[in-house]
Amino acid sequence: MNRGLWTRIALLAAVATLAGGCGPAPPAPARMIELSGALRLPAGVTPAGKVYVTLFHAWSLQGNLRHPLEPIETFEAAPGAFTHRFSYPEGVGEGLVVYAWADVDGDGVQCTPSLRTDPSGLTEVAGFAADSIQVIVDLTELCRGANWFYPPAPG
């Protein structure tokens, strides 16, 4: 065999080795959490649609890459009492934040420029460490995203 062919084979083997080492990272270890509590709407507000709840790590990563509100998962619920089991990824973030908004007009969209009636709210779970957590989220602010609430404004 000629030298050029061996060079190409060696190069292809090196590329295949490098590409194989750059595959997806294994999933972070996780633990099952049972979250229960209440999603409270202002008096007289009855949503035509559902309440959409998003769970976040309060903070993720380290150093210059540290940031708030890394999403864990989203689920749908009805106003009032709820229970939801979810897998909490460990080692990739800290804390737990529960954000919710109610679809008052039933359009499946959180507010539009012309219709701004969907209430929202956020609660940070203090001292999050248990496998069973209770939380109350008061949906009192119209058309606010999670980043409006958290992290709290200084001072």
Side-chain angles (χ1 to χ4, degrees), residues 9-123:
I9 291 172
L11 182 59
L12 284 173
V15 168
T17 301
L18 288 175
C22 296
R31 64 182 165 125
M32 290 306 294
I33 304 292
E34 183 167 306
L35 178 67
S36 60
L39 303 168
R40 300 192 306 200
L41 295 168
V45 174
T46 305
K50 300 171 183 163
V51 177
Y52 296 89
V53 181
T54 302
L55 307 175
F56 295 94
H57 283 291
W59 292 93
S60 292
L61 300 179
Q62 305 286 326
N64 291 337
L65 298 177
R66 185 169 167 82
H67 64 277
L69 300 177
E70 180 68 29
I72 297 171
E73 74 171 56
T74 298
F75 65 94
E76 298 171 358
F82 75 96
T83 300
H84 178 74
R85 287 184 57 79
F86 70 99
S87 181
Y88 180 83
E90 295 184 314
V92 294
E94 58 192 64
L96 180 66
V97 170
V98 181
Y99 167 76
W101 67 275
D103 189 5
V104 172
D105 53 12
D107 66 356
V109 177
Q110 184 184 15
C111 300
T112 65
S114 61
L115 193 55
R116 306 191 56 75
T117 58
D118 297 330
S120 57
L122 180 143
T123 300

Side-chain angles (χ1 to χ4, degrees), residues 123-139:
T123 300
E124 181 178 13
V125 178
F128 170 66
D131 292 337
S132 180
I133 304 164
Q134 291 204 341
V135 66
I136 295 173
V137 182
D138 290 314
L139 285 68

